Amino acid sequence: MTHAPPGYVCSEDGTRADVRTAPWGCPVCGGPWDLDFTPDPAAVLDPAGGPNSLWRYGSVLPLSGAFGVSLAEGHTPLVPLAERIHAKLDFLMPTLSFKDRGAVMLVELARRLAPARVVADSSGNAGTSVAAYCARAGLECEVFVPEGTSEKKTAQMRAHGAAVRVVLGGREAAAQAARTTADAPGVFYASHVFNPYFLHGTKTYVYEVWEELGGRLPEALVVPVGNGTLLLGAALAVEELARRGVRPPALIAVQAEAVAPLAQAFAAGAEDADPVEQRPTLAEGIAIPAPPRARQILAAVRKSGGTFLTVPDSLLREAQRDLAGRGLFVEPTAAACWAAVGPSAPGDPLQGRTAVLPLCGAGAKTGLAP
């Protein structure tokens, strides 16, 4: 039996809304939604008995009943990189990035709401993922991207049948254009930043780590952070698993040195992040000068006992080549965590702890950094 999807709630002012009629953001403060959903810690969690996709964690996901959208996403391999460090190969997802975890949840929700079309904004990977899952679900899709977005990524979106709208300006300009369109009737805004269903998809990353490590988590989870969708999903899963008696890890967030509003705020002891200048960096996927969920990201890292690390482009370039030399060709953004804690990182950022880091996007999407 399929029930109504859990509703939205604003963490800032407590506003609540039904997903079937809600605007894309909180109408009071304009901020992103959270989800009025907490899995029952007594619910049976038996992923081995489920399908070979992230829907194997159905008992802790907010969409109940039979799912209609899947490309067998999830269940990606966990491989050793160095002593005490494992990498999770999320670049082996159907569209070659971890964004499939959140996109499948958003598109399944959209399928149930039956909009006239789905709109998204993206610097690349999220847009390709939403386009692919909309194609799978038979939904019309439109993706707004900033000028300069990788042609390989926009070609992938178009191949899936999405209409690609190139917006003059940076990432925020593309987001504003999408939000304006999302205000029209019959449009579902598949925002990987504002819609919390995306976070409940990305949390399956940690559930898979827990499953692959035999019912435990490492001492640290190292996560690249721009808009923070993987880190916030990880924080959700860590909290949910802690209620089941699993020891929570520290969350170590990695930003590009060139665009690091969250790392700067963390170092200053601030609860929110001030916008920074949009500067060029090889890690374009995490170069977000004003993350809408900044307060939540900073709070999650602090609560876990974790920290922020930043990496310069020189280390990103070196880390991408080092991973390729180990048989793992990922895009520069996906090399950020290895740059931060790998053999070229200064000092001992992990302080001897066991850790898992994600390799989030395939190098085929961008090529080798010059």
Side-chain angles (χ1 to χ4, degrees), residues 28-337:
V28 177
C29 70
W33 291 114
D34 287 337
L35 203 60
D36 188 13
F37 172 74
T38 301
D40 180 357
V44 175
L45 183 57
D46 179 25
N52 188 29
S53 72
L54 61 73
W55 296 110
R56 66 202 283 114
Y57 303 103
S59 64
V60 296
L61 296 177
L63 293 175
S64 62
F67 61 87
V69 182
S70 181
L71 290 167
E73 59 290 318
H75 213 40
T76 55
L78 193 66
V79 301
L81 265 187
E83 186 179 3
R84 302 175 70 82
I85 303 177
H86 280 72
K88 189 156 172 58
L89 310 190
D90 260 25
F91 69 93
L92 298 180
M93 298 283 270
T95 75
L96 308 182
S97 94
F98 88 95
K99 296 286 176 61
D100 290 356
R101 295 186 182 278
V104 68
M105 292 290 293
L106 285 184
V107 175
E108 174 63 19
L109 174 62
R111 185 189 70 83
R112 298 183 185 194
L113 299 178
R117 60 178 166 148
V118 173
V119 166
D121 58 89
S122 170
S123 59
N125 285 337
T128 59
S129 190
V130 170
Y133 281 93
C134 281
R136 188 69 171 176
L139 295 170
E140 183 179 331
C141 179
E142 185 175 15
V143 184
F144 291 80
V145 301
E147 58 182 336
T149 298
S150 164
E151 290 185 5
K152 292 182 179 179
K153 293 179 181 179
T154 55
Q156 188 178 358
M157 296 174 203
R158 292 187 178 98
H160 293 309
V164 177
R165 311 298 184 202
V166 180
V167 179
L168 297 180
R171 181 67 183 82
E172 185 57 27
Q176 289 295 344
R179 292 167 196 164
T180 299
T181 303
D183 287 331
V187 175
F188 177 82
Y189 182 31
S191 171
H192 59 292
V193 181
F194 277 74
N195 194 304
Y197 277 86
F198 193 93
L199 306 181
H200 283 266
T202 61
K203 78 180 182 184
T204 60
Y205 169 84
V206 170
Y207 275 98
E208 288 180 17
V209 172
W210 164 81
E211 181 184 355
E212 289 160 325
L213 292 180
R216 60 183 177 85
L217 291 173
E219 294 167 300
L221 289 169
V222 188
V223 186
V225 175
N227 276 310
T229 55
L230 182 55
L231 184 136
L232 290 174
L236 282 172
V238 166
E239 280 195 17
E240 292 169 10
L241 285 168
R243 296 187 195 106
R244 294 174 178 266
V246 179
R247 183 178 178 181
L251 299 176
I252 299 178
V254 179
Q255 293 213 283
E257 191 176 89
V259 185
L262 294 161
Q264 292 172 25
F266 185 86
E271 293 184 0
D272 204 349
D274 293 327
V276 299
E277 181 186 355
Q278 180 75 72
R279 297 165 60 196
T281 174
L282 293 174
E284 60 183 9
I286 53 173
I288 308 298
R293 293 187 183 269
R295 293 176 67 90
Q296 293 177 317
I297 297 165
L298 290 164
V301 172
R302 288 195 175 104
K303 181 179 179 180
S304 76
T307 191
F308 276 81
L309 302 173
T310 62
V311 291
D313 275 14
S314 58
L315 278 185
L316 285 166
R317 189 179 290 109
E318 186 176 341
Q320 187 194 29
R321 283 170 165 75
D322 180 76
L323 288 167
R326 298 167 186 261
L328 302 166
F329 186 34
V330 299
E331 59 184 343
T333 298
C337 290

